[in-house]
Amino acid sequence: MTGLRDALLTRDETRLPGRRDEDWRWTDLRGTLRPMPVLSEAVQPLAPFDAPQGVQVRRFAAPATAGTAEASLSVAAGETLVLLDRVEAGEGPYARDLALHITLGEGATLHRLVLAADSAEAVSMSLTTVALAAGATLHQTVLATGAKRQRIATTVAHPGGGAHARLDGAYLLSGARHSDQTTILDHRGPGGSSEQLIRGVAADQGRGVFQGRITVAEGADGTDARLKHNALLLSGRAEIDAKPELEIYADDVACAHGNTVGALDAEALFYAMSRGIPEAEARLMLVEAFIGEIVERIGAPALQDAARAFLADGLEALRR
Amino acid sequence: MAADQDTVDTVAALAGEKYAHGFVTDIEQEFAERGLNTDVIRFISAKKDEPQWLLDWRLEAYERWLALDEPDWARVHYPKIDYQDLYYYAAPKQKAGPQSLDEVDPELLATYAKLGIPLKEQAFLAGVQGSPRYAVDAVFDSVSVVTTFKAELAKAGVIFCPLSEAVREHPELVRKYLGSVVPVSDNYFACLNSAVFSEGSFVYVPPGVRCPMELSTYFRINALNTGQFERTLIIADAGSYVSYLEGCTAPMRDENQLHAAVVELVALDDAEIKYSTVQNWYPGDAEGKGGIYNFVTKRADCRGARSKVSWTQVETGSAITWKYPSCILRGDGSSGEFYSIAITNGRQQADTGTKMIHLGANTRSRIIAKGISAGHSSSTYRGLVSVHPKATGARNFTQCDSLLIGKTCAAHTVPYVEARNANAQLEHEATTTRLSEEQLFYVMQRGLSQEEAVQLLVNGFVREVLQELPMEFAVEAQKLVAVSLEGSVG
């Protein structure tokens, strides 16, 4: 799926996916790694640090040149895990490819927050696969500030049977940063539900990409799947690309997707300014409110705090 | 939600199961030799008495076609087409250039009468007062049989004739515009069409003229193992208006037949083109045997400021549909519309949608696509809305809804959005209730249920589009209106 892994391991840049590959049309890795970097070390999750009560924290440090890592995680039936994944920025250029395979047992719950901070010159890919059992609940929120090329992909195998998946995300892009959030939600059995809300902001020459595919297999009746992507373009040189897909093979379903791209609401901006708030400040306020909704949807309070702090940094970068 | 019984019945009656146009006209025809090579292209060109430049154009297209690969990205599956096993030209034998209807083979006239296409001008002139009139270009396999109302249209300055006639009579116009919207090597099927195109309509509406009647072309595939490669070119000069309709049918056969058309529309300053299609090619039987492969490239270039192009399509036929009528919104303030109802049944596969390319400032586009699939069919909406950096103030609204009837069919939605201007507003909607809360509320407080209210509103909207069609087309399309939108998925 991420393609980068192959290329890094074989040092063969022709294996990098490019814009001619349907799933990579807006996240072209061709030519971004020249010459192909030598693997420095495998990216190892570091020991937990300052973990708030009941929260597991995993840090992924940036490799010196390039690294790949693959890990798996399972939450036993009926258990609840609150997980904070911090993907940390290094300096300068590096390439990394992370893969995480999560299994949720029957009735298990996972609250996961991914904070993806990468350097502006990084090529950073990550893939999370999640297998849900009946009655399991997945709440995932991805917050990203982009990289030279950044993709955070999540695929969910959804068995139906009362399981619920929520995949939320937000990106805040400044400079020439790129960020791609890709989700595949695969409803394989009857009686499942999923919802996705992705909000994005691209300033300067930022480029935000969202690809979301919902598939509902034959027999997965009673599926309720909803997806929404809203993006704001803050500059004439920024770009937003979106592809919300539905692939439906069952007739008794309620599936919907919505996608909007636009500028900040001129009326709201005018209102704020008429109250004496300088324009630059008013813009940030509106952006903060726009992205803030994603944070408010986070179920675990400890994660909410971490998300707020991360977003504050992201907004700070927009101000500069 | 599942569809209600009414909907199931309506769709069953509509698609696939009763194909009323499936007869064959037994008529003597002449063919080009089977297969495709430069000799066949020279043969077609010679048959049409074409100038050297056009022959060269065809041959160059053929060269390029050989270097192209058949596209495989669409969600349609079919066995590999043997392009050497087709006839690229078939024409009913007749005396050269019939001057009036009296000289046309009565067998052909009977065919069109059976299809319900009026070719007699007086039938309409002497008809009920106020009945709509429209001019018809009837294309039978590779040639145009007759074009009606030419004289009357000429009085208004409108040129409406078969493309091959336009090549002879108006070479300067054809040369200027042919291939200017869909370049020769745009895609595999368009390139093939450029090499072997046989017939199609040519329309030129001069500046400031509102075309006095609806223009239409009726395409009929009759001959066995024959591909139809029509090419239509419509130019609306500054400030003009034209409404054009096309209809398509073919006999029921067990073999698949290829239809690869190219339609080019050019709208200059303040011009408006309304292009409507009722596509009812033979869809194949319930087991997927036979049917037309419909691989069509349709594109409009809104070249002038404030120009407008509106595509309306009702797609019920064809075994495979691969079709994306598009608008290039080049002129400032130009607008494009795409209204589509696509119904698939049996083993039909449709991958259809539109592209709206916003290049100019304040360009607007609107996409309303309704897909309905039943039986073992698959229907895909695939669309692109792209806003370029100079398209300040661009607006797009897209809504695509799908309805599945039965457990074995599939519906897909693949919209692509690319925004590169901070002052553009793009919306993609998939839920019916969002259409207009206010209207819903109004209708519901009159005592209708939400379902009835949604039906009423959407039907009202569809009817508004269908009303633009002339009677025959509207009657056929009207049946689709009854299809409820209950249980729509994005």
Side-chain angles (χ1 to χ4, degrees):
Chain A
M1 169 99 185
T2 57
L4 175 62
R5 188 181 193 80
D6 258 3
L8 285 177
L9 294 175
T10 56
R11 303 203 68 217
D12 177 1
E13 60 183 311
T14 63
R15 299 201 183 191
L16 288 173
R19 64 192 165 83
R20 292 194 178 278
D21 299 301
E22 175 61 29
D23 288 339
W24 296 86
R25 56 191 294 135
W26 296 314
T27 304
D28 190 351
L29 299 189
R30 291 277 164 88
T32 54
L33 293 170
R34 197 168 283 161
M36 286 299 289
V38 185
L39 284 182
S40 44
E41 71 267 36
V43 180
Q44 293 298 345
L46 302 182
F49 74 108
D50 293 339
Q53 198 59 41
V55 182
Q56 274 202 29
V57 180
R58 299 183 317 148
R59 296 170 63 206
F60 296 97
T65 52
T68 71
E70 194 156 8
S72 52
L73 170 86
S74 61
V75 184
E79 298 284 310
T80 298
L81 176 67
V82 178
L83 179 67
L84 171 61
D85 280 346
R86 299 183 62 100
V87 181
E88 295 181 345
E91 289 297 313
Y94 58 85
R96 78 166 135 212
D97 193 332
L98 304 175
L100 176 64
H101 307 289
I102 299 176
T103 317
L104 294 192
E106 213 160 298
T109 301
L110 172 65
H111 294 274
R112 180 179 185 230
L113 173 65
V114 180
L115 302 178
D118 271 302
S119 89
E121 293 139 89
V123 173
S124 176
M125 303 287 123
S126 87
L127 166 67
T128 303
T129 66
V130 185
L132 300 179
T137 305
L138 167 70
H139 282 178
Q140 175 180 287
T141 305
V142 173
L143 302 181
T145 50
K148 185 178 186 181
R149 296 285 187 283
Q150 181 185 60
R151 166 176 283 194
I152 299 155
T154 308
T155 71
V156 177
H158 195 307
H164 180 71
R166 188 171 79 202
L167 300 178
D168 285 358
Y171 53 87
L172 274 172
L173 307 176
S174 56
R177 283 170 177 261
H178 163 282
S179 183
D180 169 342
Q181 295 200 17
T182 292
T183 64
I184 297 178
L185 239 159
D186 196 1
H187 286 273
R188 297 176 181 175
S193 59
S194 67
E195 54 179 324
Q196 301 180 60
L197 177 64
I198 285 86
R199 291 266 164 97
V201 176
D204 305 331
Q205 295 169 63
R207 186 176 190 190
V209 176
F210 171 72
Q211 304 187 97
R213 184 185 306 150
I214 296 171
T215 65
V216 179
E218 205 173 322
D221 287 315
T223 295
D224 188 326
R226 288 163 202 284
L227 178 163
K228 208 182 248 185
H229 172 244
N230 309 117
L232 290 179
L233 278 167
L234 296 187
S235 129
R237 296 167 75 191
E239 176 168 352
I240 300 284
D241 302 306
K243 184 169 73 154
E245 274 182 83
L246 289 176
E247 202 178 320
I248 316 287
Y249 298 91
D251 70 337
D252 188 13
V253 296
C255 294
H257 63 210
N259 182 56
T260 62
V261 183
L264 279 177
D265 184 355
E267 246 169 78
L269 199 59
F270 176 79
Y271 178 80
M273 286 165 70
S274 75
R275 295 278 164 173
I277 300 167
E279 187 181 340
E281 211 53 44
R283 281 178 178 278
L284 279 182
M285 274 175 61
L286 291 176
V287 169
E288 192 175 353
F290 178 71
I291 299 292
E293 209 174 304
I294 300 293
V295 177
E296 273 153 38
R297 283 161 61 99
I298 295 174
L303 294 184
Q304 250 190 28
D305 294 342
R308 267 200 200 97
F310 183 84
L311 278 187
D313 290 349
L315 285 168
E316 210 40 52
L318 284 188
R319 190 192 296 273
R320 286 195 293 270
Chain B
M1 288 200 312
D4 64 25
Q5 194 53 41
D6 257 9
T7 311
V8 176
D9 294 345
T10 310
V11 172
L14 251 181
E17 305 187 5
K18 287 197 189 93
Y19 189 72
H21 313 295
F23 61 90
V24 180
T25 306
D26 190 11
I27 192 167
E28 208 184 333
Q29 292 197 293
E30 69 168 321
F31 293 90
E33 66 173 279
R34 198 186 268 253
L36 182 56
N37 52 48
T38 51
D39 287 344
V40 169
I41 292 168
R42 282 175 206 282
F43 174 85
I44 295 171
S45 188
K47 268 281 165 212
K48 307 224 166 248
D49 225 352
E50 285 175 357
Q52 186 64 35
W53 68 265
L54 194 50
L55 175 60
D56 293 342
W57 197 75
R58 286 174 180 276
L59 291 172
E60 193 197 328
Y62 176 66
E63 283 303 316
R64 292 194 186 196
W65 179 72
L66 290 175
L68 291 175
D69 290 323
E70 206 170 319
D72 56 4
W73 43 260
R75 209 180 283 276
V76 291
H77 306 282
Y78 53 91
K80 198 116 191 74
I81 297 169
D82 183 356
Y83 290 92
Q84 293 306 334
D85 194 34
L86 292 176
Y87 290 105
Y88 287 83
Y89 182 86
K93 277 193 178 156
Q94 60 180 3
K95 283 165 269 169
Q99 292 307 301
S100 73
L101 274 175
D102 305 333
E103 293 174 33
V104 175
D105 192 325
E107 192 67 39
L108 278 176
L109 292 182
T111 299
Y112 283 94
K114 208 167 160 186
L115 293 169
I117 309 301
L119 293 182
K120 286 193 160 80
E121 297 183 8
Q122 63 273 26
F124 270 78
L125 292 168
V128 186
Q129 208 182 3
S131 75
R133 292 186 301 147
Y134 61 102
V136 179
D137 182 15
V139 175
F140 194 84
D141 288 329
S142 304
V143 292
S144 169
V145 178
V146 67
T147 309
T148 60
F149 285 108
K150 264 161 89 172
E152 193 172 335
L153 286 168
K155 261 187 246 160
V158 176
I159 303 168
F160 178 44
C161 63
L163 185 61
S164 49
E165 186 180 319
V167 170
R168 290 192 299 272
E169 310 282 327
H170 311 282
E172 70 300 339
L173 285 173
V174 176
R175 228 176 149 162
K176 183 169 172 191
Y177 291 106
L178 189 72
S180 73
V181 183
V182 179
V184 167
S185 54
D186 185 77
N187 67 67
Y188 188 79
F189 300 113
C191 194
L192 175 64
N193 175 288
S194 301
V196 301
F197 73 87
S198 38
E199 200 50 280
S201 301
F202 175 83
V203 178
Y204 173 78
V205 189
V209 170
R210 192 179 167 88
C211 187
M213 65 184 84
E214 309 273 351
L215 305 182
S216 78
T217 302
Y218 195 88
F219 294 101
R220 173 78 177 164
I221 294 178
N222 187 61
L224 188 66
N225 291 328
T226 303
Q228 190 176 56
F229 305 93
E230 93 248 12
R231 186 146 192 136
T232 295
L233 177 58
I234 299 176
I235 302 132
D237 214 322
S240 66
Y241 169 86
V242 62
S243 168
Y244 179 92
L245 312 114
E246 68 172 355
C248 332
T249 57
M252 291 164 74
R253 288 223 176 79
D254 286 348
E255 293 78 30
N256 295 108
Q257 281 181 283
L258 178 63
H259 174 257
V262 172
V263 174
E264 296 178 283
L265 311 184
V266 180
L268 303 182
D269 286 358
D270 300 294
E272 180 177 349
I273 302 175
K274 186 182 244 323
Y275 192 104
S276 319
T277 307
V278 174
Q279 187 262 102
N280 195 15
W281 294 119
Y282 178 53
D285 67 10
E287 268 64 59
K289 207 164 187 202
I292 302 288
Y293 291 165
N294 193 31
F295 301 139
V296 178
T297 306
K298 293 186 170 183
R299 196 172 301 154
D301 190 351
C302 293
R303 233 166 256 190
R306 296 166 305 277
S307 56
K308 180 178 176 186
V309 168
S310 170
W311 297 101
T312 306
Q313 62 172 23
V314 180
E315 300 277 321
T316 57
S318 293
I320 313 255
T321 301
W322 181 99
K323 179 182 175 187
Y324 315 92
S326 306
C327 294
I328 299 167
L329 301 167
R330 202 185 300 273
D332 288 349
S334 60
S335 64
E337 291 172 351
F338 176 76
Y339 301 107
S340 167
I341 303 171
I343 298 190
T344 56
N345 205 345
R347 302 271 173 182
Q348 279 178 278
Q349 305 171 59
D351 194 308
T352 182
T354 184
K355 285 183 190 181
M356 293 291 174
I357 316 284
H358 292 258
L359 299 177
N362 299 313
T363 45
R364 282 158 295 144
S365 63
R366 183 182 172 88
I367 300 169
I368 309 285
K370 311 279 176 196
I372 299 160
S373 23
H376 293 271
S377 70
S378 143
S379 164
T380 303
Y381 168 82
R382 186 183 302 276
L384 167 70
V385 175
S386 152
V387 176
H388 288 243
K390 285 182 183 157
T392 297
R395 280 289 278 129
N396 162 264
F397 175 77
T398 302
Q399 180 175 351
C400 37
D401 296 316
S402 325
L403 178 71
L404 294 114
I405 301 167
K407 301 279 177 202
T408 50
C409 53
H412 315 299
T413 315
V414 193
Y416 296 76
V417 177
E418 300 181 342
R420 286 195 276 154
N421 187 295
N423 288 304
Q425 205 61 257
L426 312 178
E427 287 167 71
H428 179 100
E429 291 262 343
T431 46
T432 46
T433 46
R434 289 228 166 181
L435 195 68
S436 165
E437 297 286 352
E438 216 170 292
Q439 287 177 323
L440 266 183
F441 178 75
Y442 178 79
V443 178
M444 283 168 71
Q445 59 105 357
R446 294 281 169 168
L448 292 186
S449 70
Q450 176 163 339
E451 181 68 20
E452 287 168 322
V454 170
Q455 259 183 49
L456 186 73
L457 292 173
V458 172
N459 287 359
F461 170 76
V462 174
R463 186 166 280 132
E464 205 183 313
V465 178
L466 296 182
Q467 269 172 356
E468 306 291 335
L469 300 167
M471 205 70 93
E472 272 80 14
F473 284 53
V475 167
E476 196 175 342
Q478 201 90 43
K479 296 177 192 164
L480 308 179
V481 176
V483 174
S484 91
L485 274 171
E486 181 201 335
S488 290
V489 295

